[in-house]
Structures are given as C-alpha cells and as structure tokens.
Amino acid sequence: MKIAYIMPQFPVATETFAVSDVNALAALGHEVTVFALKPPTGEAATLRTQVPLAAGVTVAGWRVAPIDMPALIACLRHGMGLALRDFRLGLGALAISLRVAAVVHALRKGGFDVVHAFWSRHPSLVIAALAARRRNGAGPLLSAFAGAYDLVADDALVALGLAHADIRFTHAEVNRPYFVERGFGDVHVVRRGIPVEALAVGEGQADRRRIVTVSALDARKNVEGVIRSFALARARSNAALHLDIVGAGPDEDRLRRIVNELGLADGVRFLGHLSHRDVLARMRAAHTFLFLSHKASERFPNVVKEALYAGCYVVASATPGIGALVCDGVLGEIVPADDSEAAATALLRSMDEPPGRTVRRRRVAARLIARRWSSRRSMQRYASAWKGALADLTGEREP
C-alpha cells in the first residue's frame, strides 16, 4: 500500500515511536510518506541521524507548493468557527491553513491508498478536507488515531477528525469508553510498540546501585518526585546509590537546585538529551528504572517498554492501564506518582532482588515485550485493518 502519515511535526525528540511505526510499515513492504503540518525544529537533522528512517520512508519537503483551494477555504472556515469557541485553538488552525491546503493538494495527486492522521488534532483538518472532496467513495481511505494528548484535549479538532475518518485507532483498551461514548464503538485498539528487532536485550550484570530515569524535564513528568524518592532511598541504604537523569527541558534549572538543596550532587547526574542508542545503553547499565510521571496523557510510555526490554526493574507511577505493561510484583512495582515513601521503598526492594530472580525477570520481560509490544506486530495489525477497510470502501470485499 501507499500510505501517507500526517503529523503535527516530524521528527520530534519525544516521539521516536513515530519513526518506529513508519519504519515497521516500510519493513512490511509498504511505501510511506510523512507530511508535517509545522516546520521541522532545529534538532531535526540530529534526530534523523540518531533515529534514521528506513528505505521506503520519505518526508515531504517544505518547498513552495500548489494548494487545494477548496481545502484552504474549508480550513479557514473551520479555524474561524473554532476561534469563536476557543480563540487559541482557532488561531492555531488558521496559522497552518496554507500548509494544510498544500498537503491536501499533494495527497489528492499522489495516488495514496491510505491517509493516516497520527494524532487527531491539527491533522484532523487534512482528514476533514479530504472527506469533503470525496466523490462517490473515490479517494484514499481516511484513518485517524486518537490517544494520549488527543483524549486529554478532547476538543473540537479531535471530534472533527474522528467524525470524518473511515477507520479509527487507539493504543489502549482503557481508551475504548471515550470512543463508545461518542458513537465510535468500532475503534481498533492496537498497542503502540517498540522496534524490538533493532534493540539489544538486557544481558550481563547491571549495577544494582544505579537507578535511571528518562524523561522530558517538564514539571508534568514529575522528575522532582524521582529525585525526592531517590533521596529517601539513598538515606536508608547502606550502599551508595546513584541516579542518572536522561533528558532535557524547561524544568532542568529548578531540578538542579533541588538536587543541591538535598545534598545529592555526588549521587545525581544530569546527562541531557542522548541518542536513542545511548539511552538504551544507560538503561542496560542500570538495575532500576524509575518513572513517576503524573502527566494526564500517559498511557503505556515507550520508555517503560524499552526499560523492561533492556532488563531494568521498573518502578512506575499508576497511570491508566499501566498494569498490563509493568505486571506489578513480577517485572517491577506500580506506585502513586506523588508518594515518595512508596517509591523509595520500591527502590530499596529492587536492590535486594536475588540474582536468580533478576535473571528470570529479565527473560520474562524480554519475551513479553517481543510478543506483545513489538512495533512490527502492531503495524501488521494496522495494515490488516486498513486493507479490510479499503475493501469495504471500494466494494471489493467478498461477501
């Protein structure tokens, strides 16, 4: 199939899973073109070397391009209508109207089988414009994913995309009621995977005294809670514990001050943004992965999947559906995001894990991730659903 992915922006440091998805589709023999609605960030070139795209995946450029006038008019109309209810939301839609119209023109000329909105907010403008231009069922299959940020925003843009899509996806069973309540009970629940074929399983001896967290340094990610939990565990441990903080963001200066105030300067390292390869190496070197986000959009964080596959004992916050991933008491522990006492106790328990149990846990985690959380398997399910929906759309499915 020839598939178009519509992204708000691409690539993005916190969304390496988007690259995993399109690479998996290419590995399955599909041709994928990514269209971004906003210009690339300054870090885009670096990201593309750190997480390269597979052959068969292209990224549409930002050169001046023809536009689809009906799409432009529709986008302007949507933007003005949104502005009457939510000025910022409407302004955002108006700001990308020309880009949406150029993307729609390229999609209508490109002979795509599937157009997929990777998120159901601004990409919904493309889905709605293509639906309005459809005649007698002709044109590509219109597909939309909604999850995480979309479900938290729950705004008119999300509703627009879901209403005009031919097929809808989400990534967690816990999200299904959202769709059912809006009349979309036929949503496909497909887990978002990681590229296990390209990752090394955690082997060898990790440092039992080393803890790692990987996160954007954003207050919603609660890295402060990670630091305070680590401080409690370190104060109660007979061993000298160490914490590696991987990631960058606006909260870094405040977090560094907290580390100094707690007297942890000799035990905490801020490693900044690292390449995907280096992140995984840090995970394999640590015995425990600590993740205490209370961000409302968290479901099954990819960093937790990667930490499990890398061999870490995971202590994670109680976000929706997380038990299906961490398997509380088997592969790690689930604690309240703001309970530093519980997190510290879990950290100390992880240090006392018997070596034989560590080996068994790592094997179980690697098998679980490979079987249930592989991006290749996930994208096989996407492709199968798209093929079935295309057959229904064109009337080619056998009765």
mmCIF file of all heavy atoms in Angstrom, residues 193-204 276 279-281 283-286 289 301-314 325-326 331 359 361-375:
data_model
loop_
_atom_site.group_PDB
_atom_site.id
_atom_site.type_symbol
_atom_site.label_atom_id
_atom_site.label_comp_id
_atom_site.label_asym_id
_atom_site.label_seq_id
_atom_site.Cartn_x
_atom_site.Cartn_y
_atom_site.Cartn_z
ATOM 1 N N GLY A 193 4.013 -0.126 19.704
ATOM 2 C CA GLY A 193 5.161 -0.951 20.044
ATOM 3 C C GLY A 193 6.491 -0.234 19.949
ATOM 4 O O GLY A 193 6.579 0.951 19.646
ATOM 5 N N ILE A 194 7.553 -0.988 20.213
ATOM 6 C CA ILE A 194 8.925 -0.504 20.063
ATOM 7 C C ILE A 194 9.638 -1.436 19.086
ATOM 8 O O ILE A 194 9.240 -2.591 18.904
ATOM 9 C CB ILE A 194 9.663 -0.446 21.418
ATOM 10 C CG1 ILE A 194 9.775 -1.845 22.042
ATOM 11 C CG2 ILE A 194 8.968 0.512 22.362
ATOM 12 C CD1 ILE A 194 10.629 -1.884 23.293
ATOM 13 N N PRO A 195 10.702 -0.968 18.441
ATOM 14 C CA PRO A 195 11.371 -1.786 17.415
ATOM 15 C C PRO A 195 12.275 -2.844 18.026
ATOM 16 O O PRO A 195 13.513 -2.750 17.970
ATOM 17 C CB PRO A 195 12.168 -0.737 16.625
ATOM 18 C CG PRO A 195 12.480 0.316 17.625
ATOM 19 C CD PRO A 195 11.285 0.376 18.545
ATOM 20 N N VAL A 196 11.681 -3.887 18.577
ATOM 21 C CA VAL A 196 12.462 -4.884 19.321
ATOM 22 C C VAL A 196 13.532 -5.545 18.463
ATOM 23 O O VAL A 196 14.589 -5.943 18.970
ATOM 24 C CB VAL A 196 11.545 -5.953 19.956
ATOM 25 C CG1 VAL A 196 10.664 -5.348 21.028
ATOM 26 C CG2 VAL A 196 10.690 -6.634 18.898
ATOM 27 N N GLU A 197 13.281 -5.649 17.155
ATOM 28 C CA GLU A 197 14.261 -6.301 16.287
ATOM 29 C C GLU A 197 15.583 -5.528 16.245
ATOM 30 O O GLU A 197 16.639 -6.095 15.986
ATOM 31 C CB GLU A 197 13.708 -6.438 14.859
ATOM 32 C CG GLU A 197 12.468 -7.314 14.737
ATOM 33 C CD GLU A 197 11.176 -6.601 15.126
ATOM 34 O OE1 GLU A 197 11.230 -5.363 15.326
ATOM 35 O OE2 GLU A 197 10.137 -7.261 15.235
ATOM 36 N N ALA A 198 15.506 -4.237 16.501
ATOM 37 C CA ALA A 198 16.703 -3.388 16.426
ATOM 38 C C ALA A 198 17.326 -3.119 17.797
ATOM 39 O O ALA A 198 18.352 -2.443 17.886
ATOM 40 C CB ALA A 198 16.346 -2.054 15.767
ATOM 41 N N LEU A 199 16.718 -3.660 18.867
ATOM 42 C CA LEU A 199 17.195 -3.368 20.216
ATOM 43 C C LEU A 199 17.892 -4.582 20.813
ATOM 44 O O LEU A 199 17.542 -5.726 20.508
ATOM 45 C CB LEU A 199 16.032 -2.960 21.124
ATOM 46 C CG LEU A 199 15.175 -1.785 20.657
ATOM 47 C CD1 LEU A 199 14.084 -1.516 21.683
ATOM 48 C CD2 LEU A 199 16.028 -0.542 20.453
ATOM 49 N N ALA A 200 18.842 -4.332 21.673
ATOM 50 C CA ALA A 200 19.548 -5.411 22.365
ATOM 51 C C ALA A 200 18.838 -5.729 23.673
ATOM 52 O O ALA A 200 18.477 -4.829 24.426
ATOM 53 C CB ALA A 200 20.994 -5.019 22.640
ATOM 54 N N VAL A 201 18.635 -7.013 23.923
ATOM 55 C CA VAL A 201 18.039 -7.448 25.189
ATOM 56 C C VAL A 201 19.041 -7.194 26.313
ATOM 57 O O VAL A 201 20.249 -7.329 26.123
ATOM 58 C CB VAL A 201 17.685 -8.951 25.118
ATOM 59 C CG1 VAL A 201 17.153 -9.443 26.460
ATOM 60 C CG2 VAL A 201 16.667 -9.208 24.029
ATOM 61 N N GLY A 202 18.515 -6.823 27.489
ATOM 62 C CA GLY A 202 19.393 -6.598 28.628
ATOM 63 C C GLY A 202 20.100 -7.875 29.045
ATOM 64 O O GLY A 202 19.453 -8.881 29.335
ATOM 65 N N GLU A 203 21.405 -7.881 29.014
ATOM 66 C CA GLU A 203 22.205 -9.046 29.393
ATOM 67 C C GLU A 203 23.330 -8.604 30.313
ATOM 68 O O GLU A 203 23.641 -7.426 30.425
ATOM 69 C CB GLU A 203 22.778 -9.724 28.139
ATOM 70 C CG GLU A 203 21.701 -10.298 27.211
ATOM 71 C CD GLU A 203 22.296 -10.878 25.946
ATOM 72 O OE1 GLU A 203 23.494 -10.629 25.703
ATOM 73 O OE2 GLU A 203 21.567 -11.557 25.213
ATOM 74 N N GLY A 204 23.959 -9.568 30.934
ATOM 75 C CA GLY A 204 25.081 -9.248 31.810
ATOM 76 C C GLY A 204 24.620 -8.666 33.140
ATOM 77 O O GLY A 204 23.440 -8.615 33.454
ATOM 78 N N HIS A 276 19.161 7.689 20.913
ATOM 79 C CA HIS A 276 18.380 6.511 21.310
ATOM 80 C C HIS A 276 19.313 5.373 21.712
ATOM 81 O O HIS A 276 19.069 4.667 22.706
ATOM 82 C CB HIS A 276 17.471 6.098 20.154
ATOM 83 C CG HIS A 276 16.378 5.168 20.553
ATOM 84 N ND1 HIS A 276 15.958 4.122 19.771
ATOM 85 C CD2 HIS A 276 15.605 5.116 21.668
ATOM 86 C CE1 HIS A 276 14.985 3.469 20.376
ATOM 87 N NE2 HIS A 276 14.750 4.050 21.523
ATOM 88 N N VAL A 279 20.656 6.098 25.166
ATOM 89 C CA VAL A 279 19.616 5.919 26.189
ATOM 90 C C VAL A 279 19.499 4.449 26.562
ATOM 91 O O VAL A 279 19.460 4.080 27.748
ATOM 92 C CB VAL A 279 18.254 6.453 25.684
ATOM 93 C CG1 VAL A 279 17.132 6.024 26.632
ATOM 94 C CG2 VAL A 279 18.278 7.969 25.570
ATOM 95 N N LEU A 280 19.451 3.589 25.556
ATOM 96 C CA LEU A 280 19.314 2.152 25.815
ATOM 97 C C LEU A 280 20.534 1.598 26.541
ATOM 98 O O LEU A 280 20.411 0.717 27.399
ATOM 99 C CB LEU A 280 19.082 1.416 24.496
ATOM 100 C CG LEU A 280 17.763 1.771 23.792
ATOM 101 C CD1 LEU A 280 17.734 1.210 22.392
ATOM 102 C CD2 LEU A 280 16.577 1.259 24.596
ATOM 103 N N ALA A 281 21.694 2.134 26.219
ATOM 104 C CA ALA A 281 22.908 1.701 26.919
ATOM 105 C C ALA A 281 22.834 2.073 28.401
ATOM 106 O O ALA A 281 23.239 1.289 29.272
ATOM 107 C CB ALA A 281 24.133 2.333 26.265
ATOM 108 N N MET A 283 20.126 2.408 30.132
ATOM 109 C CA MET A 283 19.144 1.515 30.745
ATOM 110 C C MET A 283 19.762 0.151 31.051
ATOM 111 O O MET A 283 19.551 -0.404 32.136
ATOM 112 C CB MET A 283 17.943 1.339 29.814
ATOM 113 C CG MET A 283 17.039 2.551 29.703
ATOM 114 S SD MET A 283 15.706 2.238 28.515
ATOM 115 C CE MET A 283 14.680 3.700 28.754
ATOM 116 N N ARG A 284 20.529 -0.383 30.112
ATOM 117 C CA ARG A 284 21.142 -1.699 30.331
ATOM 118 C C ARG A 284 22.164 -1.675 31.463
ATOM 119 O O ARG A 284 22.400 -2.685 32.121
ATOM 120 C CB ARG A 284 21.790 -2.205 29.036
ATOM 121 C CG ARG A 284 20.779 -2.673 27.992
ATOM 122 C CD ARG A 284 21.454 -3.432 26.869
ATOM 123 N NE ARG A 284 22.306 -2.569 26.061
ATOM 124 C CZ ARG A 284 21.887 -1.873 25.018
ATOM 125 N NH1 ARG A 284 20.616 -1.947 24.642
ATOM 126 N NH2 ARG A 284 22.717 -1.125 24.332
ATOM 127 N N ALA A 285 22.757 -0.494 31.697
ATOM 128 C CA ALA A 285 23.765 -0.378 32.756
ATOM 129 C C ALA A 285 23.143 -0.235 34.140
ATOM 130 O O ALA A 285 23.833 -0.430 35.155
ATOM 131 C CB ALA A 285 24.675 0.815 32.478
ATOM 132 N N ALA A 286 21.859 0.131 34.211
ATOM 133 C CA ALA A 286 21.188 0.366 35.495
ATOM 134 C C ALA A 286 20.336 -0.837 35.888
ATOM 135 O O ALA A 286 19.771 -1.522 35.029
ATOM 136 C CB ALA A 286 20.316 1.613 35.408
ATOM 137 N N PHE A 289 14.741 1.242 36.840
ATOM 138 C CA PHE A 289 14.236 2.390 36.082
ATOM 139 C C PHE A 289 13.094 2.994 36.892
ATOM 140 O O PHE A 289 12.145 2.296 37.264
ATOM 141 C CB PHE A 289 13.718 1.935 34.718
ATOM 142 C CG PHE A 289 13.179 3.052 33.856
ATOM 143 C CD1 PHE A 289 14.027 3.882 33.145
ATOM 144 C CD2 PHE A 289 11.814 3.273 33.757
ATOM 145 C CE1 PHE A 289 13.540 4.912 32.347
ATOM 146 C CE2 PHE A 289 11.305 4.289 32.963
ATOM 147 C CZ PHE A 289 12.177 5.117 32.254
ATOM 148 N N PRO A 301 3.908 4.340 28.422
ATOM 149 C CA PRO A 301 5.091 5.061 27.945
ATOM 150 C C PRO A 301 6.109 4.144 27.269
ATOM 151 O O PRO A 301 6.450 3.082 27.801
ATOM 152 C CB PRO A 301 5.672 5.660 29.233
ATOM 153 C CG PRO A 301 4.530 5.681 30.199
ATOM 154 C CD PRO A 301 3.701 4.486 29.866
ATOM 155 N N ASN A 302 6.580 4.566 26.103
ATOM 156 C CA ASN A 302 7.554 3.750 25.384
ATOM 157 C C ASN A 302 8.849 3.570 26.168
ATOM 158 O O ASN A 302 9.505 2.533 26.067
ATOM 159 C CB ASN A 302 7.849 4.364 24.013
ATOM 160 C CG ASN A 302 6.914 3.829 22.953
ATOM 161 O OD1 ASN A 302 5.793 3.439 23.252
ATOM 162 N ND2 ASN A 302 7.375 3.795 21.723
ATOM 163 N N VAL A 303 9.238 4.586 26.962
ATOM 164 C CA VAL A 303 10.473 4.436 27.740
ATOM 165 C C VAL A 303 10.352 3.306 28.754
ATOM 166 O O VAL A 303 11.347 2.649 29.076
ATOM 167 C CB VAL A 303 10.882 5.740 28.451
ATOM 168 C CG1 VAL A 303 11.380 6.772 27.468
ATOM 169 C CG2 VAL A 303 9.769 6.288 29.318
ATOM 170 N N VAL A 304 9.141 3.059 29.246
ATOM 171 C CA VAL A 304 8.951 1.943 30.181
ATOM 172 C C VAL A 304 9.111 0.614 29.442
ATOM 173 O O VAL A 304 9.755 -0.320 29.944
ATOM 174 C CB VAL A 304 7.575 2.036 30.868
ATOM 175 C CG1 VAL A 304 7.297 0.778 31.693
ATOM 176 C CG2 VAL A 304 7.512 3.269 31.768
ATOM 177 N N LYS A 305 8.560 0.520 28.230
ATOM 178 C CA LYS A 305 8.736 -0.704 27.424
ATOM 179 C C LYS A 305 10.214 -0.951 27.153
ATOM 180 O O LYS A 305 10.708 -2.080 27.267
ATOM 181 C CB LYS A 305 7.979 -0.574 26.101
ATOM 182 C CG LYS A 305 6.481 -0.378 26.232
ATOM 183 C CD LYS A 305 5.886 0.062 24.911
ATOM 184 C CE LYS A 305 4.522 0.688 25.105
ATOM 185 N NZ LYS A 305 4.023 1.384 23.909
ATOM 186 N N GLU A 306 10.911 0.119 26.777
ATOM 187 C CA GLU A 306 12.332 -0.020 26.475
ATOM 188 C C GLU A 306 13.127 -0.404 27.717
ATOM 189 O O GLU A 306 14.057 -1.221 27.636
ATOM 190 C CB GLU A 306 12.854 1.281 25.870
ATOM 191 C CG GLU A 306 12.311 1.541 24.472
ATOM 192 C CD GLU A 306 12.596 2.943 23.962
ATOM 193 O OE1 GLU A 306 13.006 3.803 24.765
ATOM 194 O OE2 GLU A 306 12.399 3.159 22.744
ATOM 195 N N ALA A 307 12.773 0.171 28.862
ATOM 196 C CA ALA A 307 13.469 -0.162 30.104
ATOM 197 C C ALA A 307 13.269 -1.636 30.464
ATOM 198 O O ALA A 307 14.210 -2.320 30.894
ATOM 199 C CB ALA A 307 12.989 0.738 31.237
ATOM 200 N N LEU A 308 12.063 -2.134 30.294
ATOM 201 C CA LEU A 308 11.786 -3.544 30.556
ATOM 202 C C LEU A 308 12.606 -4.433 29.631
ATOM 203 O O LEU A 308 13.208 -5.423 30.051
ATOM 204 C CB LEU A 308 10.300 -3.834 30.393
ATOM 205 C CG LEU A 308 9.376 -3.296 31.485
ATOM 206 C CD1 LEU A 308 7.917 -3.399 31.051
ATOM 207 C CD2 LEU A 308 9.586 -4.045 32.794
ATOM 208 N N TYR A 309 12.628 -4.086 28.354
ATOM 209 C CA TYR A 309 13.364 -4.888 27.374
ATOM 210 C C TYR A 309 14.868 -4.834 27.646
ATOM 211 O O TYR A 309 15.591 -5.804 27.401
ATOM 212 C CB TYR A 309 13.057 -4.392 25.961
ATOM 213 C CG TYR A 309 13.385 -5.384 24.880
ATOM 214 C CD1 TYR A 309 12.664 -6.570 24.753
ATOM 215 C CD2 TYR A 309 14.419 -5.143 23.983
ATOM 216 C CE1 TYR A 309 12.956 -7.491 23.756
ATOM 217 C CE2 TYR A 309 14.722 -6.055 22.976
ATOM 218 C CZ TYR A 309 13.991 -7.229 22.870
ATOM 219 O OH TYR A 309 14.292 -8.141 21.883
ATOM 220 N N ALA A 310 15.321 -3.687 28.161
ATOM 221 C CA ALA A 310 16.744 -3.526 28.482
ATOM 222 C C ALA A 310 17.136 -4.251 29.763
ATOM 223 O O ALA A 310 18.325 -4.344 30.098
ATOM 224 C CB ALA A 310 17.086 -2.046 28.612
ATOM 225 N N GLY A 311 16.155 -4.755 30.508
ATOM 226 C CA GLY A 311 16.448 -5.558 31.698
ATOM 227 C C GLY A 311 16.228 -4.869 33.022
ATOM 228 O O GLY A 311 16.525 -5.431 34.078
ATOM 229 N N CYS A 312 15.693 -3.645 33.006
ATOM 230 C CA CYS A 312 15.501 -2.906 34.256
ATOM 231 C C CYS A 312 14.327 -3.433 35.080
ATOM 232 O O CYS A 312 13.300 -3.841 34.527
ATOM 233 C CB CYS A 312 15.244 -1.433 33.966
ATOM 234 S SG CYS A 312 16.649 -0.521 33.329
ATOM 235 N N TYR A 313 14.495 -3.379 36.377
ATOM 236 C CA TYR A 313 13.372 -3.494 37.315
ATOM 237 C C TYR A 313 12.689 -2.124 37.259
ATOM 238 O O TYR A 313 13.331 -1.089 37.471
ATOM 239 C CB TYR A 313 13.914 -3.776 38.707
ATOM 240 C CG TYR A 313 12.879 -4.026 39.788
ATOM 241 C CD1 TYR A 313 12.665 -5.313 40.258
ATOM 242 C CD2 TYR A 313 12.157 -2.982 40.351
ATOM 243 C CE1 TYR A 313 11.742 -5.557 41.277
ATOM 244 C CE2 TYR A 313 11.232 -3.218 41.360
ATOM 245 C CZ TYR A 313 11.033 -4.502 41.812
ATOM 246 O OH TYR A 313 10.114 -4.739 42.812
ATOM 247 N N VAL A 314 11.392 -2.098 36.964
ATOM 248 C CA VAL A 314 10.704 -0.826 36.736
ATOM 249 C C VAL A 314 9.839 -0.450 37.926
ATOM 250 O O VAL A 314 9.017 -1.247 38.395
ATOM 251 C CB VAL A 314 9.833 -0.893 35.459
ATOM 252 C CG1 VAL A 314 8.935 0.341 35.353
ATOM 253 C CG2 VAL A 314 10.725 -0.988 34.225
ATOM 254 N N LEU A 325 1.383 -3.582 31.407
ATOM 255 C CA LEU A 325 2.763 -3.493 30.923
ATOM 256 C C LEU A 325 3.772 -3.881 32.000
ATOM 257 O O LEU A 325 4.623 -4.733 31.788
ATOM 258 C CB LEU A 325 3.031 -2.065 30.422
ATOM 259 C CG LEU A 325 4.446 -1.718 29.958
ATOM 260 C CD1 LEU A 325 4.865 -2.633 28.813
ATOM 261 C CD2 LEU A 325 4.504 -0.259 29.519
ATOM 262 N N VAL A 326 3.660 -3.274 33.158
ATOM 263 C CA VAL A 326 4.656 -3.496 34.201
ATOM 264 C C VAL A 326 4.440 -4.796 34.963
ATOM 265 O O VAL A 326 5.387 -5.401 35.461
ATOM 266 C CB VAL A 326 4.690 -2.288 35.176
ATOM 267 C CG1 VAL A 326 5.603 -2.556 36.358
ATOM 268 C CG2 VAL A 326 5.159 -1.043 34.435
ATOM 269 N N LEU A 331 7.478 -7.794 37.201
ATOM 270 C CA LEU A 331 8.530 -7.100 36.453
ATOM 271 C C LEU A 331 8.950 -5.790 37.122
ATOM 272 O O LEU A 331 9.857 -5.120 36.648
ATOM 273 C CB LEU A 331 8.064 -6.817 35.023
ATOM 274 C CG LEU A 331 7.625 -8.040 34.215
ATOM 275 C CD1 LEU A 331 7.220 -7.630 32.812
ATOM 276 C CD2 LEU A 331 8.732 -9.082 34.172
ATOM 277 N N VAL A 359 17.625 -12.671 36.827
ATOM 278 C CA VAL A 359 17.792 -13.343 35.531
ATOM 279 C C VAL A 359 16.439 -13.762 34.971
ATOM 280 O O VAL A 359 16.136 -13.550 33.787
ATOM 281 C CB VAL A 359 18.735 -14.556 35.676
ATOM 282 C CG1 VAL A 359 18.749 -15.384 34.391
ATOM 283 C CG2 VAL A 359 20.143 -14.099 36.035
ATOM 284 N N ARG A 361 13.429 -12.567 35.755
ATOM 285 C CA ARG A 361 12.610 -11.389 35.434
ATOM 286 C C ARG A 361 12.998 -10.807 34.086
ATOM 287 O O ARG A 361 12.144 -10.447 33.280
ATOM 288 C CB ARG A 361 12.771 -10.335 36.539
ATOM 289 C CG ARG A 361 12.120 -8.998 36.193
ATOM 290 C CD ARG A 361 12.321 -7.956 37.281
ATOM 291 N NE ARG A 361 13.700 -7.738 37.654
ATOM 292 C CZ ARG A 361 14.581 -7.059 36.916
ATOM 293 N NH1 ARG A 361 14.233 -6.556 35.737
ATOM 294 N NH2 ARG A 361 15.829 -6.903 37.352
ATOM 295 N N ARG A 362 14.282 -10.699 33.844
ATOM 296 C CA ARG A 362 14.742 -10.148 32.572
ATOM 297 C C ARG A 362 14.253 -10.979 31.391
ATOM 298 O O ARG A 362 13.859 -10.441 30.356
ATOM 299 C CB ARG A 362 16.270 -10.055 32.561
ATOM 300 C CG ARG A 362 16.827 -8.926 33.428
ATOM 301 C CD ARG A 362 18.334 -8.878 33.343
ATOM 302 N NE ARG A 362 18.833 -7.563 33.718
ATOM 303 C CZ ARG A 362 20.050 -7.126 33.426
ATOM 304 N NH1 ARG A 362 20.884 -7.912 32.754
ATOM 305 N NH2 ARG A 362 20.440 -5.932 33.788
ATOM 306 N N ARG A 363 14.301 -12.298 31.535
ATOM 307 C CA ARG A 363 13.856 -13.176 30.447
ATOM 308 C C ARG A 363 12.361 -13.023 30.195
ATOM 309 O O ARG A 363 11.912 -12.936 29.061
ATOM 310 C CB ARG A 363 14.192 -14.630 30.776
ATOM 311 C CG ARG A 363 15.681 -14.946 30.702
ATOM 312 C CD ARG A 363 15.953 -16.356 31.179
ATOM 313 N NE ARG A 363 17.393 -16.666 31.126
ATOM 314 C CZ ARG A 363 17.939 -17.717 31.726
ATOM 315 N NH1 ARG A 363 17.180 -18.572 32.425
ATOM 316 N NH2 ARG A 363 19.240 -17.940 31.622
ATOM 317 N N VAL A 364 11.599 -12.967 31.285
ATOM 318 C CA VAL A 364 10.140 -12.802 31.156
ATOM 319 C C VAL A 364 9.821 -11.465 30.495
ATOM 320 O O VAL A 364 8.971 -11.375 29.604
ATOM 321 C CB VAL A 364 9.459 -12.903 32.538
ATOM 322 C CG1 VAL A 364 7.991 -12.472 32.450
ATOM 323 C CG2 VAL A 364 9.551 -14.331 33.073
ATOM 324 N N ALA A 365 10.497 -10.411 30.918
ATOM 325 C CA ALA A 365 10.247 -9.078 30.363
ATOM 326 C C ALA A 365 10.569 -9.039 28.879
ATOM 327 O O ALA A 365 9.803 -8.488 28.072
ATOM 328 C CB ALA A 365 11.074 -8.036 31.110
ATOM 329 N N ALA A 366 11.699 -9.605 28.483
ATOM 330 C CA ALA A 366 12.090 -9.594 27.067
ATOM 331 C C ALA A 366 11.070 -10.348 26.217
ATOM 332 O O ALA A 366 10.700 -9.883 25.130
ATOM 333 C CB ALA A 366 13.479 -10.203 26.905
ATOM 334 N N ARG A 367 10.598 -11.488 26.714
ATOM 335 C CA ARG A 367 9.585 -12.258 25.956
ATOM 336 C C ARG A 367 8.276 -11.490 25.859
ATOM 337 O O ARG A 367 7.637 -11.457 24.798
ATOM 338 C CB ARG A 367 9.358 -13.625 26.614
ATOM 339 C CG ARG A 367 10.485 -14.618 26.402
ATOM 340 C CD ARG A 367 10.020 -16.037 26.686
ATOM 341 N NE ARG A 367 9.586 -16.193 28.066
ATOM 342 C CZ ARG A 367 10.366 -16.612 29.057
ATOM 343 N NH1 ARG A 367 11.637 -16.897 28.819
ATOM 344 N NH2 ARG A 367 9.904 -16.741 30.287
ATOM 345 N N LEU A 368 7.862 -10.869 26.974
ATOM 346 C CA LEU A 368 6.607 -10.123 26.985
ATOM 347 C C LEU A 368 6.647 -8.970 25.985
ATOM 348 O O LEU A 368 5.717 -8.774 25.194
ATOM 349 C CB LEU A 368 6.333 -9.581 28.390
ATOM 350 C CG LEU A 368 5.118 -8.644 28.501
ATOM 351 C CD1 LEU A 368 3.836 -9.435 28.391
ATOM 352 C CD2 LEU A 368 5.150 -7.858 29.809
ATOM 353 N N ILE A 369 7.718 -8.186 26.006
ATOM 354 C CA ILE A 369 7.815 -7.041 25.111
ATOM 355 C C ILE A 369 7.865 -7.494 23.657
ATOM 356 O O ILE A 369 7.188 -6.928 22.789
ATOM 357 C CB ILE A 369 9.042 -6.174 25.457
ATOM 358 C CG1 ILE A 369 8.924 -5.621 26.883
ATOM 359 C CG2 ILE A 369 9.201 -5.047 24.453
ATOM 360 C CD1 ILE A 369 7.711 -4.737 27.118
ATOM 361 N N ALA A 370 8.652 -8.520 23.376
ATOM 362 C CA ALA A 370 8.763 -9.006 21.994
ATOM 363 C C ALA A 370 7.428 -9.540 21.479
ATOM 364 O O ALA A 370 7.090 -9.363 20.296
ATOM 365 C CB ALA A 370 9.836 -10.090 21.915
ATOM 366 N N ARG A 371 6.668 -10.178 22.345
ATOM 367 C CA ARG A 371 5.405 -10.788 21.908
ATOM 368 C C ARG A 371 4.261 -9.785 21.833
ATOM 369 O O ARG A 371 3.457 -9.820 20.898
ATOM 370 C CB ARG A 371 5.030 -11.926 22.882
ATOM 371 C CG ARG A 371 3.812 -12.738 22.420
ATOM 372 C CD ARG A 371 3.539 -13.909 23.340
ATOM 373 N NE ARG A 371 3.076 -13.484 24.654
ATOM 374 C CZ ARG A 371 3.777 -13.589 25.763
ATOM 375 N NH1 ARG A 371 4.999 -14.086 25.742
ATOM 376 N NH2 ARG A 371 3.280 -13.186 26.923
ATOM 377 N N ARG A 372 4.185 -8.862 22.785
ATOM 378 C CA ARG A 372 3.007 -8.006 22.872
ATOM 379 C C ARG A 372 3.244 -6.547 22.519
ATOM 380 O O ARG A 372 2.296 -5.806 22.301
ATOM 381 C CB ARG A 372 2.437 -8.068 24.295
ATOM 382 C CG ARG A 372 2.026 -9.466 24.740
ATOM 383 C CD ARG A 372 1.351 -9.442 26.093
ATOM 384 N NE ARG A 372 0.081 -8.742 26.057
ATOM 385 C CZ ARG A 372 -0.636 -8.431 27.132
ATOM 386 N NH1 ARG A 372 -0.189 -8.750 28.332
ATOM 387 N NH2 ARG A 372 -1.784 -7.808 27.030
ATOM 388 N N TRP A 373 4.514 -6.118 22.477
ATOM 389 C CA TRP A 373 4.778 -4.689 22.310
ATOM 390 C C TRP A 373 5.782 -4.422 21.196
ATOM 391 O O TRP A 373 6.544 -3.465 21.251
ATOM 392 C CB TRP A 373 5.273 -4.080 23.634
ATOM 393 C CG TRP A 373 4.316 -4.285 24.765
ATOM 394 C CD1 TRP A 373 4.304 -5.293 25.662
ATOM 395 C CD2 TRP A 373 3.187 -3.465 25.091
ATOM 396 N NE1 TRP A 373 3.261 -5.149 26.543
ATOM 397 C CE2 TRP A 373 2.556 -4.033 26.215
ATOM 398 C CE3 TRP A 373 2.659 -2.287 24.545
ATOM 399 C CZ2 TRP A 373 1.421 -3.480 26.803
ATOM 400 C CZ3 TRP A 373 1.536 -1.733 25.136
ATOM 401 C CH2 TRP A 373 0.925 -2.324 26.248
ATOM 402 N N SER A 374 5.756 -5.234 20.157
ATOM 403 C CA SER A 374 6.634 -5.048 19.006
ATOM 404 C C SER A 374 5.984 -4.106 17.998
ATOM 405 O O SER A 374 4.828 -4.299 17.620
ATOM 406 C CB SER A 374 6.908 -6.403 18.342
ATOM 407 O OG SER A 374 7.258 -6.247 16.990
ATOM 408 N N SER A 375 6.721 -3.087 17.538
ATOM 409 C CA SER A 375 6.158 -2.160 16.548
ATOM 410 C C SER A 375 5.849 -2.882 15.248
ATOM 411 O O SER A 375 4.869 -2.554 14.570
ATOM 412 C CB SER A 375 7.113 -0.991 16.304
ATOM 413 O OG SER A 375 8.397 -1.431 15.968
#
